[in-house]
Amino acid sequence: MIYLVFAHPYPSQSRANRALFDAVRDLPGVEVCSLYDRYPDFDIDVAAEQAALSRAQLVLWMHPVYWYSVPALLKHWFDKVLAYGWAYGDGSAALRGKGCLWVASTGGTREAYAATGIHERPFGEFSRPIEETARFCRMNWLEPFIVHGAHEINEAELAAHAASLRERLQAWLAAHDGRAGLPP
Ligand SMILES: Cc1cc2nc3c(=O)[nH]c(=O)nc-3n(C[C@H](O)[C@H](O)[C@H](O)COP(=O)(O)O)c2cc1C
Protein backbone atom coordinates (compact mmCIF):
# COMPACT_ATOMS: atom_id res chain seq x y z
CA MET A 1 0.00 0.00 0.00
CA ILE A 2 2.90 2.37 0.81
CA TYR A 3 6.21 2.09 -1.01
CA LEU A 4 9.01 3.78 0.91
CA VAL A 5 12.04 4.56 -1.21
CA PHE A 6 14.89 5.35 1.17
CA ALA A 7 17.92 6.98 -0.38
CA HIS A 8 20.79 7.60 2.01
CA PRO A 9 24.27 6.89 0.63
CA TYR A 10 25.52 5.86 4.07
CA PRO A 11 22.54 4.45 5.95
CA SER A 12 24.65 3.42 8.93
CA GLN A 13 25.90 7.00 9.35
CA SER A 14 22.49 8.63 9.08
CA ARG A 15 20.94 10.21 12.14
CA ALA A 16 17.97 12.20 10.87
CA ASN A 17 16.78 9.94 8.10
CA ARG A 18 17.45 6.84 10.13
CA ALA A 19 15.13 8.14 12.85
CA LEU A 20 12.41 8.92 10.29
CA PHE A 21 12.88 5.59 8.52
CA ASP A 22 12.81 3.56 11.74
CA ALA A 23 9.66 5.36 12.87
CA VAL A 24 7.58 4.17 9.94
CA ARG A 25 9.16 1.07 8.44
CA ASP A 26 7.14 -1.33 10.60
CA LEU A 27 3.74 0.17 9.86
CA PRO A 28 1.30 -2.29 8.28
CA GLY A 29 1.30 -2.13 4.52
CA VAL A 30 4.66 -0.37 4.26
CA GLU A 31 7.12 -1.91 1.82
CA VAL A 32 10.62 -0.46 2.01
CA CYS A 33 13.56 -0.28 -0.32
CA SER A 34 16.86 1.15 0.89
CA LEU A 35 18.25 2.06 -2.51
CA TYR A 36 21.94 2.21 -1.60
CA ASP A 37 21.73 -1.14 0.21
CA ARG A 38 19.85 -2.81 -2.62
CA TYR A 39 21.64 -1.26 -5.58
CA PRO A 40 25.18 -0.41 -4.45
CA ASP A 41 26.37 -0.66 -8.04
CA PHE A 42 23.53 1.57 -9.31
CA ASP A 43 22.17 -1.36 -11.33
CA ILE A 44 18.50 -0.79 -10.58
CA ASP A 45 16.00 -3.59 -11.18
CA VAL A 46 13.53 -1.44 -13.08
CA ALA A 47 10.87 -4.14 -13.39
CA ALA A 48 10.97 -4.83 -9.65
CA GLU A 49 10.73 -1.15 -8.82
CA GLN A 50 7.85 -0.59 -11.20
CA ALA A 51 6.06 -3.63 -9.76
CA ALA A 52 6.48 -2.24 -6.24
CA LEU A 53 5.13 1.11 -7.37
CA SER A 54 2.19 -0.57 -9.05
CA ARG A 55 1.30 -2.25 -5.75
CA ALA A 56 1.43 1.05 -3.86
CA GLN A 57 -1.16 3.73 -3.36
CA LEU A 58 1.31 6.06 -1.67
CA VAL A 59 4.96 6.51 -2.58
CA LEU A 60 7.49 8.04 -0.20
CA TRP A 61 10.81 9.47 -1.30
CA MET A 62 12.94 9.81 1.83
CA HIS A 63 16.47 11.20 1.77
CA PRO A 64 18.88 13.87 2.95
CA VAL A 65 19.00 16.91 0.68
CA TYR A 66 22.29 16.98 -1.22
CA TRP A 67 23.16 20.07 -3.21
CA TYR A 68 19.54 21.25 -3.19
CA SER A 69 18.41 17.98 -4.70
CA VAL A 70 18.24 14.24 -4.21
CA PRO A 71 21.22 11.90 -3.71
CA ALA A 72 22.59 10.53 -6.97
CA LEU A 73 21.03 7.08 -6.75
CA LEU A 74 17.54 8.49 -6.24
CA LYS A 75 18.04 10.70 -9.30
CA HIS A 76 19.15 7.59 -11.19
CA TRP A 77 16.06 5.79 -9.89
CA PHE A 78 13.91 8.62 -11.30
CA ASP A 79 15.71 8.35 -14.63
CA LYS A 80 15.34 4.58 -14.94
CA VAL A 81 12.09 3.75 -13.17
CA LEU A 82 9.89 6.68 -14.17
CA ALA A 83 10.24 5.63 -17.77
CA TYR A 84 8.62 6.88 -20.94
CA GLY A 85 5.77 4.61 -21.94
CA TRP A 86 5.22 3.58 -18.35
CA ALA A 87 5.14 6.58 -16.03
CA TYR A 88 4.46 9.13 -18.74
CA GLY A 89 4.09 9.54 -22.48
CA ASP A 90 2.41 7.54 -25.20
CA GLY A 91 -0.83 7.51 -23.23
CA SER A 92 0.70 5.81 -20.22
CA ALA A 93 0.41 6.94 -16.63
CA ALA A 94 1.09 3.97 -14.36
CA LEU A 95 1.38 6.24 -11.35
CA ARG A 96 -1.72 8.32 -11.99
CA GLY A 97 -3.57 9.14 -8.80
CA LYS A 98 -1.03 7.61 -6.43
CA GLY A 99 0.01 9.82 -3.55
CA CYS A 100 3.57 11.10 -3.40
CA LEU A 101 5.05 12.18 -0.09
CA TRP A 102 8.49 13.74 -0.12
CA VAL A 103 10.32 13.29 3.16
CA ALA A 104 13.67 15.06 3.34
CA SER A 105 16.15 16.50 5.79
CA THR A 106 18.38 19.51 5.35
CA GLY A 107 21.50 20.62 7.12
CA GLY A 108 20.28 24.17 6.67
CA THR A 109 17.96 25.54 9.32
CA ARG A 110 14.59 27.07 8.58
CA GLU A 111 16.23 30.51 8.98
CA ALA A 112 18.93 29.54 6.48
CA TYR A 113 16.16 29.01 3.92
CA ALA A 114 14.89 32.57 3.95
CA ALA A 115 15.50 35.50 1.65
CA THR A 116 18.13 36.78 4.08
CA GLY A 117 19.51 33.34 4.90
CA ILE A 118 22.61 31.66 3.54
CA HIS A 119 20.59 29.76 0.91
CA GLU A 120 18.96 33.04 -0.19
CA ARG A 121 15.49 31.70 -0.91
CA PRO A 122 12.70 29.66 0.67
CA PHE A 123 13.18 25.93 0.67
CA GLY A 124 9.99 25.56 -1.36
CA GLU A 125 11.79 26.97 -4.37
CA PHE A 126 14.22 24.08 -4.30
CA SER A 127 11.44 21.53 -4.12
CA ARG A 128 10.02 22.43 -7.53
CA PRO A 129 11.89 19.79 -9.62
CA ILE A 130 10.88 17.04 -7.20
CA GLU A 131 7.28 18.20 -7.14
CA GLU A 132 7.06 18.48 -10.90
CA THR A 133 8.60 15.03 -11.33
CA ALA A 134 5.68 13.63 -9.34
CA ARG A 135 3.09 15.83 -11.01
CA PHE A 136 4.38 15.03 -14.50
CA CYS A 137 3.72 11.37 -13.67
CA ARG A 138 0.18 12.39 -12.63
CA MET A 139 0.86 11.65 -8.99
CA ASN A 140 -0.97 13.42 -6.20
CA TRP A 141 1.68 15.65 -4.60
CA LEU A 142 1.17 15.82 -0.84
CA GLU A 143 2.48 18.44 1.55
CA PRO A 144 6.19 17.57 1.93
CA PHE A 145 7.59 16.51 5.28
CA ILE A 146 10.85 18.41 5.72
CA VAL A 147 13.17 18.31 8.72
CA HIS A 148 15.41 21.37 8.74
CA GLY A 149 18.57 21.83 10.77
CA ALA A 150 19.21 18.10 10.85
CA HIS A 151 22.51 18.48 12.69
CA GLU A 152 21.25 21.01 15.19
CA ILE A 153 18.00 19.55 16.41
CA ASN A 154 18.35 17.56 19.60
CA GLU A 155 17.22 13.99 20.18
CA ALA A 156 13.85 15.03 21.57
CA GLU A 157 13.13 17.27 18.59
CA LEU A 158 14.15 14.55 16.16
CA ALA A 159 12.00 12.01 17.99
CA ALA A 160 9.06 14.42 17.75
CA HIS A 161 9.57 14.74 14.00
CA ALA A 162 9.73 10.95 13.69
CA ALA A 163 6.55 10.52 15.74
CA SER A 164 4.82 13.16 13.65
CA LEU A 165 5.71 11.35 10.44
CA ARG A 166 4.46 8.07 11.87
CA GLU A 167 1.17 9.70 12.86
CA ARG A 168 0.81 11.18 9.40
CA LEU A 169 1.24 7.79 7.75
CA GLN A 170 -1.07 6.13 10.25
CA ALA A 171 -3.72 8.72 9.42
CA TRP A 172 -3.21 8.10 5.74
CA LEU A 173 -3.48 4.34 6.25
CA ALA A 174 -6.59 4.72 8.35
CA ALA A 175 -8.18 6.89 5.68
CA HIS A 176 -7.34 4.41 2.93
CA ASP A 177 -7.97 1.14 4.73
CA GLY A 178 -10.38 0.95 7.65
CA ARG A 179 -8.28 -1.71 9.38
CA ALA A 180 -4.86 -0.14 9.03
CA GLY A 181 -3.59 1.97 11.88
CA LEU A 182 -5.81 0.22 14.40
CA PRO A 183 -4.57 -2.19 17.06
CA PRO A 184 -4.51 -5.80 15.83
C1 LIG B 1 27.16 16.05 -0.31
C2 LIG B 1 26.26 16.80 0.62
C3 LIG B 1 25.48 17.83 0.12
C4 LIG B 1 24.63 18.53 0.96
N1 LIG B 1 23.84 19.52 0.44
C5 LIG B 1 22.98 20.19 1.27
C6 LIG B 1 22.13 21.20 0.72
O1 LIG B 1 22.13 21.52 -0.47
N2 LIG B 1 21.30 21.85 1.57
C7 LIG B 1 21.25 21.55 2.92
O2 LIG B 1 20.48 22.18 3.64
N3 LIG B 1 22.03 20.56 3.44
C8 LIG B 1 22.88 19.88 2.64
N4 LIG B 1 23.66 18.86 3.14
C9 LIG B 1 23.44 18.45 4.55
C10 LIG B 1 22.54 17.20 4.60
O3 LIG B 1 21.25 17.48 4.09
C11 LIG B 1 22.45 16.69 6.02
O4 LIG B 1 23.74 16.22 6.36
C12 LIG B 1 21.42 15.57 6.16
O5 LIG B 1 20.13 16.07 5.94
C13 LIG B 1 21.48 14.93 7.53
O6 LIG B 1 20.68 13.77 7.50
P1 LIG B 1 21.24 12.34 7.99
O7 LIG B 1 21.51 12.47 9.49
O8 LIG B 1 20.18 11.37 7.70
O9 LIG B 1 22.52 12.07 7.23
C14 LIG B 1 24.54 18.18 2.33
C15 LIG B 1 25.35 17.15 2.83
C16 LIG B 1 26.20 16.47 1.98
C17 LIG B 1 27.05 15.35 2.54
Side-chain angles (χ1 to χ4, degrees), residues 67-106:
W67 291 116
Y68 308 105
S69 186
V70 299
L73 184 51
L74 182 54
K75 176 59 168 59
H76 189 52
W77 185 95
F78 288 165
D79 297 347
K80 300 295 287 188
V81 178
L82 307 182
Y84 178 85
W86 186 78
Y88 72 97
D90 204 19
S92 50
L95 302 173
R96 185 198 306 270
K98 296 178 187 291
C100 183
L101 177 60
W102 185 36
V103 181
S105 67
T106 69

Side-chain angles (χ1 to χ4, degrees), residues 2-6 20-21 24-25 30-34 58-62 103 169:
I2 296 178
Y3 189 42
L4 167 49
V5 180
F6 179 70
L20 299 174
F21 185 62
V24 300
R25 62 183 306 174
V30 174
E31 183 177 349
V32 303
C33 180
S34 176
L58 174 65
V59 179
L60 263 69
W61 294 327
M62 180 185 288
V103 181
L169 291 198

Side-chain angles (χ1 to χ4, degrees), residues 7 12 19 22 35 44 46 78 91 94 110 118 123 125 132 153 161 169 173 178:
S12 65
D22 287 346
L35 289 186
I44 291 173
V46 173
F78 288 165
R110 190 176 295 277
I118 192 169
F123 185 72
E125 292 194 25
E132 286 308 316
I153 55 175
H161 283 299
L169 291 198
L173 284 161

Side-chain angles (χ1 to χ4, degrees), residues 101 142-145 163-172:
L101 177 60
L142 305 176
E143 180 65 29
F145 188 98
S164 173
L165 178 63
R166 183 177 175 88
E167 285 169 19
R168 186 157 170 201
L169 291 198
Q170 283 178 317
W172 188 93

Side-chain angles (χ1 to χ4, degrees), residues 119-183:
H119 301 297
E120 300 186 324
R121 56 197 76 229
F123 185 72
E125 292 194 25
F126 299 105
S127 72
R128 293 285 170 90
I130 315 300
E131 178 176 348
E132 286 308 316
T133 298
R135 290 192 189 280
F136 195 72
C137 297
R138 303 282 186 268
M139 300 175 86
N140 179 21
W141 180 251
L142 305 176
E143 180 65 29
F145 188 98
I146 309 297
V147 175
H148 291 298
H151 302 295
E152 298 180 24
I153 55 175
N154 62 35
E155 287 303 313
E157 290 167 327
L158 181 55
H161 283 299
S164 173
L165 178 63
R166 183 177 175 88
E167 285 169 19
R168 186 157 170 201
L169 291 198
Q170 283 178 317
W172 188 93
L173 284 161
H176 289 79
D177 177 345
R179 292 163 301 158
L182 298 173

